[in-house]
Amino acid sequence: MLNVIVLVSGGGTNLQAIIDAVETEKISNTRISGVISNNKNAYALVRAKKHGIENRCISPKDFETRAQFNEKFLEAVDGMKPDLIVLAGFLVVIPPKMTERYKNRIINIHPSLIPSFCGTGYYGLKVHEAALLRGVKVVGATVHFVDEGTDTGPIILQKAVEVEPGDTPEILQRRVMEQAEWKILPKAIDLIANGKVKVEDGKTVIL
Ligand code: GRF
């Protein structure tokens, strides 16, 4: 049984997709044992509470220094004994000690086809604003392992989504979430839970 914790900062629609997939057994061999947010107002915490999932908020704002936050944050993560950590709209930089300790056991959902529109400053609506500004015809989402960089770890799954005439960043974000994020993130967790993802030479092999 894969013990999964989900780190969130916002609305939690990706968290909801994971919860629903576990409850309908689209994700097998998996238990969501906790949710941690840096934002006490994150609706994702409400979603966790509704499903009886242990949840807590740890915010950098509550600490004098980032180092003090990092220590307490890592303690809270360790305390939930995760086999896999899922970043689902999580907007806080992961402490280097954590990416080392949980090498190839942290995954992230990014709302673009990496390596496009990713890296520092590309998150949430900003990703879709940049895509529309560039005039790309295809966008999408990527699930990848988290390493010491930003959106640079081995790619696990990607799914493409068409840009449509008249798209605004908000319309495009919603389509990418509905057609890509909410599908490939649960799928990636199910693959990992069933031992079907290996990392070789910095790239993933899906068995
Ligand atoms: C979405 O844009 C997602 O692509 C990104 O975080 C945003 C919020 O997601 N990872 P959620 O509704 O909190 O899951």
Side-chain angles (χ1 to χ4, degrees):
M1 181 69 75
L2 193 77
N3 209 30
V4 172
I5 68 171
V6 186
L7 309 186
V8 295
S9 297
T13 63
N14 279 285
L15 168 66
Q16 191 65 56
I18 298 166
I19 291 169
D20 295 346
V22 170
E23 290 183 354
T24 57
E25 296 179 15
K26 283 210 184 91
I27 298 179
S28 62
N29 197 27
T30 295
R31 177 174 172 271
I32 307 171
S33 55
V35 171
I36 301 177
S37 179
N38 61 303
N39 168 11
K40 66 181 183 312
N41 300 316
Y43 189 71
L45 290 171
V46 173
R47 296 180 192 271
K49 287 185 182 84
K50 279 184 181 171
H51 289 269
I53 298 169
E54 182 191 349
N55 60 93
R56 56 182 299 189
C57 176
I58 305 180
S59 169
K61 294 179 187 144
D62 298 336
F63 297 87
E64 293 274 300
T65 66
R66 178 52 64 107
Q68 287 168 347
F69 164 77
N70 284 349
E71 189 187 336
K72 285 292 173 214
F73 176 63
L74 187 47
E75 241 175 66
V77 168
D78 289 345
M80 290 184 170
K81 298 185 178 8
D83 299 311
L84 180 70
I85 300 166
V86 179
L87 311 186
F90 191 61
L91 297 176
V92 172
V93 174
I94 300 300
K97 219 162 127 187
M98 185 166 150
T99 47
E100 282 155 33
R101 186 171 302 173
Y102 292 96
K103 184 172 171 53
N104 292 334
R105 292 198 290 152
I106 308 174
I107 64 173
N108 180 50
I109 176 81
H110 182 74
S112 79
L113 295 175
I114 289 174
S116 298
F117 311 115
C118 66
T120 307
Y122 285 104
Y123 57 89
L125 270 183
K126 292 174 187 287
V127 172
H128 306 290
E129 286 163 0
L132 290 172
L133 194 64
R134 181 64 185 82
V136 295
K137 303 305 177 189
V138 174
V139 292
T142 302
V143 182
H144 63 94
F145 284 111
V146 173
D147 63 11
E148 60 290 341
T150 304
D151 303 329
T152 52
I155 290 171
I156 302 167
L157 292 176
Q158 295 189 296
K159 188 163 177 27
V161 174
E162 298 277 324
V163 178
E164 293 179 12
D167 271 347
T168 64
E170 291 78 5
I171 292 170
L172 189 52
Q173 177 180 52
R174 184 78 193 181
R175 189 178 311 121
V176 169
M177 292 166 103
E178 284 172 351
Q179 294 185 8
E181 297 179 39
W182 300 344
K183 294 186 186 314
I184 62 174
L185 186 53
K187 177 74 186 153
I189 295 167
D190 184 59
L191 288 169
I192 292 167
N194 292 286
K196 294 187 179 164
V197 180
K198 283 194 319 184
V199 178
E200 286 172 2
D201 301 329
K203 294 179 190 56
T204 64
V205 174
I206 311 292
L207 306 174

